[in-house]
Amino acid sequence: MNKPGLRKIVLLHGHPDPDRARLGYALADAYERGARSAGHELHRVDIADLDIGFVRSKRQWDEELPAPEIRALRERVEASDHLAVFFPLWLGTMPAYCKAFWEQLLRTGAPQNGSATAPSILRGKSARIVVTMGMPAFFFRWYFGGHGVRSFERGVLKIMGASPVKTTLLGSVEGRGEAGYRRWIAEMNELGERCN
Ligand SMILES: Cc1cc2nc3c(=O)[nH]c(=O)nc-3n(C[C@H](O)[C@H](O)[C@H](O)COP(=O)(O)O)c2cc1C
């Protein structure tokens, strides 16, 4: 049992690239540091370190158990209070490898009440989505309606019970400059501290 105010966080870093120099790692690191310094319990997964296969059929979805490490992670997710989800925007949405990860995480491989989708496993959990992108964030929101992120927010996290789900869009990553990166790192650190 955690002390009052201290929460169990699962940080899911959905960057397919294992190169630790990518910005996403620095942001996830900052969130992790903030959360740990405040005393929250945090379990982190960098999906680039996992060997994730694609779900290719309904039969597989319904009947084939996900890999043991994915099942163990799902148990951690179920036992958590808060999810911190990071990914870069690729072709307007999350990278395919990241989507493949979520498809593996959210299926049971063993139907209960006719469904092999993990039933409401996110109920009662809050979530923060952090997405980096090349275009300006306002342009993604205004011109694209933020669809590639909203479909994940509403069609995956919220529909499986997470609430509230908050989103941070970090745009124009290439031209940000040192001071801009430092502000983002500080922002992530603070979000982690507040488990937000
Ligand atoms: C395959 C690929 C597709 C991308 N597609 C988009 C896109 O559709 N829109 C966008 O704004 N940026 C796009 N980008 C830029 C990435 O979002 C950006 O490089 C990333 O968020 C930077 O974070 P990182 O250093 O952690 O990779 C793309 C980058 C790659 C490699």
Side-chain angles (χ1 to χ4, degrees):
M1 184 74 178
N2 279 353
K3 287 191 207 147
L6 295 183
R7 304 180 79 204
K8 283 191 186 138
I9 303 173
V10 174
L11 191 163
L12 300 168
H13 183 215
H15 207 310
D17 189 342
D19 178 0
R20 264 45 186 179
R22 303 307 311 171
L23 173 65
Y25 286 91
L27 299 172
D29 289 351
Y31 192 101
E32 180 177 359
R33 268 197 312 277
R36 289 192 191 285
S37 71
H40 301 297
E41 186 183 317
L42 184 141
H43 179 78
R44 170 169 170 172
V45 173
D46 294 281
I47 69 159
D49 298 338
L50 303 178
D51 186 13
I52 299 158
F54 285 96
V55 177
R56 294 175 59 113
S57 67
K58 176 156 167 40
R59 186 201 54 72
Q60 190 187 359
W61 179 276
D62 285 345
E63 297 168 20
E64 215 175 85
L65 289 178
E69 60 188 334
I70 296 285
R71 293 190 338 247
L73 177 57
R74 198 175 59 231
E75 278 172 23
R76 277 194 184 273
V77 166
E78 279 177 287
S80 72
D81 304 304
H82 180 75
L83 295 182
V85 177
F86 291 72
F87 60 86
L89 196 77
W90 281 14
L91 297 186
T93 186
M94 63 170 53
Y97 194 70
C98 183
K99 180 71 163 37
F101 165 77
W102 281 95
E103 287 176 10
Q104 295 288 6
L105 185 70
L106 296 178
R107 71 191 183 90
T108 61
Q112 292 158 340
N113 306 322
S115 170
T117 306
S120 303
I121 73 162
L122 305 183
R123 187 174 295 150
K125 301 168 201 334
S126 53
R128 165 74 55 179
I129 307 170
V130 179
V131 184
T132 57
M133 63 192 70
M135 73 179 98
F138 85 86
F139 192 76
F140 179 64
R141 273 198 209 92
W142 166 73
Y143 186 75
F144 293 103
H147 286 305
V149 174
R150 273 173 44 207
S151 63
F152 173 67
E153 177 193 331
R154 293 183 187 178
V156 178
L157 297 187
K158 284 189 174 171
I159 209 154
M160 301 204 86
S163 178
V165 180
K166 297 176 185 168
T167 301
T168 303
L169 302 179
L170 304 176
S172 306
V173 287
E174 311 302 342
R176 188 51 38 178
E178 251 337 285
Y181 290 128
R182 273 204 300 275
R183 269 199 300 279
W184 282 350
I185 297 292
E187 190 185 334
M188 290 303 118
N189 204 281
E190 199 199 320
L191 285 178
E193 276 177 11
R194 293 192 284 117
C195 184
N196 190 347

